[in-house]
Amino acid sequence: QVQLVESGGGLVQPGGFLRLSCAASGLTLDSYGIGWFRQAPGKEREGVSYIRFSEGYEYYADFAKGRFAVFRDSAKNTVYLRMNVLKPEDTAVYYCAAGPDCDAHPAVCMATMRRYWMTRGYWGQGTQVTVSS
């Protein structure tokens, strides 16, 4: 059975950093488009990033540019989201997702994954990130 498991969330002070992990089983992450998303209570779900490993292309939402970065460890079949200079507004549950490679612009691919949310592709259960002093 395909399974994605996020980990690495927790409580961090503003300006701090966290590295989230998305470990996959039952599928090879290198063969999929990988998205990171987040959702905070009372707020709309939003895309964080989208990466196509086959192209080495990374796309980030405006709020993530310059602060967040996606890495992979193919040997461990794990993808990471490094988050720097965290802000209180980054507080949310963060999810990773895997879907077939998308032929459209990466921003469109991320938007499509967001629209379908849990109904398409493969999704983890999320990990809580809380940024507070």
Side-chain angles (χ1 to χ4, degrees), residues 62-83:
D62 287 342
F63 67 81
K65 292 177 180 176
R67 295 194 299 128
F68 295 4
V70 176
F71 303 91
R72 66 168 174 171
D73 186 333
S74 295
K76 296 181 178 180
N77 202 26
T78 299
V79 64
Y80 305 92
L81 177 66
R82 168 80 178 194
M83 304 185 294

Side-chain angles (χ1 to χ4, degrees), residues 27-72:
L27 65 85
T28 300
L29 288 173
D30 287 351
S31 301
Y32 291 80
I34 305 299
W36 282 94
F37 301 84
R38 69 184 188 183
Q39 186 167 34
K43 297 183 179 180
E44 296 291 329
R45 58 187 183 270
E46 56 187 346
V48 176
S49 68
Y50 181 87
I51 182 170
R52 296 176 183 170
F53 291 120
S54 62
E55 300 179 20
Y57 184 84
E58 302 174 22
Y59 178 82
Y60 299 90
D62 287 342
F63 67 81
K65 292 177 180 176
R67 295 194 299 128
F68 295 4
V70 176
F71 303 91
R72 66 168 174 171

Side-chain angles (χ1 to χ4, degrees), residues 71-128:
F71 303 91
R72 66 168 174 171
D73 186 333
S74 295
K76 296 181 178 180
N77 202 26
T78 299
V79 64
Y80 305 92
L81 177 66
R82 168 80 178 194
M83 304 185 294
N84 295 322
V85 197
L86 284 164
K87 307 173 182 179
E89 52 263 41
D90 293 320
T91 296
V93 177
Y94 284 72
Y95 301 87
C96 66
D101 281 347
C102 175
D103 294 330
H105 189 281
V108 176
C109 297
M110 187 175 74
T112 299
M113 294 187 76
R114 175 193 175 279
R115 182 168 62 253
Y116 286 131
W117 199 236
M118 304 291 183
T119 64
R120 298 289 189 275
Y122 304 102
W123 294 77
Q125 296 301 304
T127 184
Q128 177 71 50

